[in-house]
Amino acid sequence: MRWLLSLLLLTLFGAVQAISSAGQRLLVVLEEHSEKEKYSVFLGDLESRGYHVTVDSPKSESLSLFKHGERAYDHVILLPGKSKGLGPALTANALLDFMKKEGNILVALSSEHPTPTSVHTVLLELDIHIPSDKGALVVDHFNYDSNSAAEKHDVLLLPFPKQLRPDVKNYFAGEGVIAVPRAVGQTLGNESPLLAPILRAPSTAYSYSPKDEAEIVEEPFAVGGQLTLVSSMQAHNSARLTVVGSAEMLQNAWFAEKATLNGKAVKTANRDFIAKVTAWTFKETGVLKIGKLIHYLNEGISKKMNTSLTVPENNPKIYRIKNDVAFQVEISEYADSHLIPFVPASQDALQLEFSMLSPFHRLNLTPLSQTTNSTIFGVSFTTPDQHGIFNFRINYRRPFLTNIDEKRQVTVRHFAHNEWPRSWQISGAWVWIGGIWVTVAGWIAFVAVWLWSAPTEKSVKKTQ
Amino acid sequence: MPPKSRPAAAPASSTPSKPATSSKTGGSMDAQDIVLGVWNNYQKITPQRVKLLDSFMGFLVVVAALQFFYCLLVGNFPFNAFLSGFSATVGQFVLTASLRIQTNPDNKKEFESTSPERAFADYVFGSLLLHFFCVNFIN
């Protein structure tokens, strides 16, 4: 009977598609409760992935991101509403504090509604810029949906995003077209390494404010690839914030809609894309976990390392200069509900730094083997000719992956007096060794002759 | 020792009067004579033990020079080896020179309290210490 119960429990857990690595409490901020129906499929999908969804209005008295000084929710979705103020619970500071405590935020903007002041402030703080004109939206005269926006060209149909760079993993790939209706385009600041675009506007798109009555748009907010329709920010503490330019993307109406792109009938794949975006934002994907970190004196093949997770780390505290040292680290990636072996992008490499203030070595780690849910990376090297306190450090920061910064401290000592090579092992010293022993032999011979030639002294003694 | 024997040798050969009259070619002949005279005197007057000391010191100079030129030629890589090898000969030379001063019959007056046996014993002790240090330093 018991096994039947456990089997039942197992299937129940199995039914849950994905569980975030950062918690299940999700707050959806929505001003008009009546609008909830528009997002029912989106919210249903989130619930089926294991989130405990709370829908609340920003005007609600009881709404608070924090409880007893800790986060009351793990993730927040901000959906657009009519009012420009979000109330005392959702000020810019409260949102930033929420991120400082590793909470994740998904912000949806809309060209039909004003962007709340606090959201605008937070985005500016993070160096994400949106047009200040109310109602500004992204228009493209080449990639529009001729069904719904035959005149205005403001419903964009785009393919799924490609890999951002050859050394960055793509978590948003898919099949089909994404509909982006009436989006608020964003531009990302050049200075911040924390920002990364998820979905860029095509090169023919531009930002347009309908208030401008002029025939020609003279100074658009941004054009082409400068504009991002969905952008992301990952803080140093790996808290994530995603800006979705068009809240309509999340609505049922566009989840699987028939559309026409350049005369061809297509079906929008927003549901799939939005699932990927929320999965990334709420840390279901792109989460790295560091396992056991091992280093040891490399004495050839005689010593084998223990990769078992059950045995705790037992690393040496001290090495000598010019020692051969081997280093191994176990890294897993959280994908959807479980840990899988982490494989870096094709042109990317995980690196080990052996550093005292600055790195003396920075070495690429190569994957040595894989367990069921981790990859073991390793490298062997010779400690530098410098004694002091060193760190084995892995500092791995990439777009869309949580940051890794892990250190293990060791002492590197100099040679002990009996560890130097003996003189006769250095062939260059043989002449001087010979010099010493010739001197000694000559001295012995001299002493012998001196003692043997004593009789001549007698003549001196006689005179005495 | 040779400087002291020279004044004794000079009047015997009566050389001082000759250089004044002779020409330059004659001067070189005289210089040869002087060297020869000095050498002969050294052979005749110097006690056998002092000769022995001198030849050992000459041997040490040769060994030290060889090591030094090897260092110039090849480089000083195990520098401690060069230092100990070279200083073994230099130290031995200094000790032997001290023994020569103390046991020379000409310096009898200055070393009333030190008998040649005592000087030799000191020398042996000093030399053994030197060898011990040199062998240790070369590792």
Side-chain angles (χ1 to χ4, degrees), chain B residues 67-138:
Chain B
Q67 291 185 55
F68 187 73
F69 282 118
Y70 176 77
C71 175
L72 284 185
L73 213 69
V74 178
N76 62 359
F77 161 50
F79 191 53
N80 64 319
F82 164 68
L83 282 181
S84 66
F86 189 65
S87 57
T89 51
V90 172
Q92 193 64 62
F93 184 87
V94 170
L95 288 170
T96 314
S98 313
L99 180 67
R100 190 182 192 282
I101 293 167
Q102 289 192 344
T103 56
N104 196 335
D106 288 1
N107 298 345
K108 199 93 192 168
K109 276 181 267 172
E110 286 174 58
F111 297 104
E112 287 288 339
S113 57
T114 321
S115 69
E117 288 77 16
R118 172 60 202 267
F120 185 68
D122 283 351
Y123 170 70
V124 169
F125 178 68
S127 301
L128 285 176
L129 263 184
L130 176 73
H131 299 157
F132 176 78
F133 274 106
C134 286
V135 169
N136 267 294
F137 188 63
I138 204 168

Side-chain angles (χ1 to χ4, degrees), chain A residues 393-453:
Chain A
R393 183 179 185 202
I394 293 184
N395 188 10
Y396 187 69
R397 294 166 191 276
R398 296 290 183 274
F400 305 136
L401 287 173
T402 54
N403 303 318
I404 288 181
D405 191 355
E406 198 75 12
K407 282 180 192 173
R408 293 290 183 278
Q409 198 179 67
V410 288
T411 305
V412 176
R413 63 173 173 84
H414 45 65
F415 275 93
H417 76 281
N418 60 354
E419 284 173 331
W420 297 93
R422 302 307 296 264
S423 57
W424 58 84
Q425 291 168 324
I426 305 164
S427 58
W430 290 349
V431 167
W432 296 309
I433 296 171
I436 288 185
W437 290 110
V438 164
T439 308
V440 170
W443 178 78
I444 289 168
F446 163 75
V447 168
V449 175
W450 174 277
L451 293 173
W452 176 75
S453 65

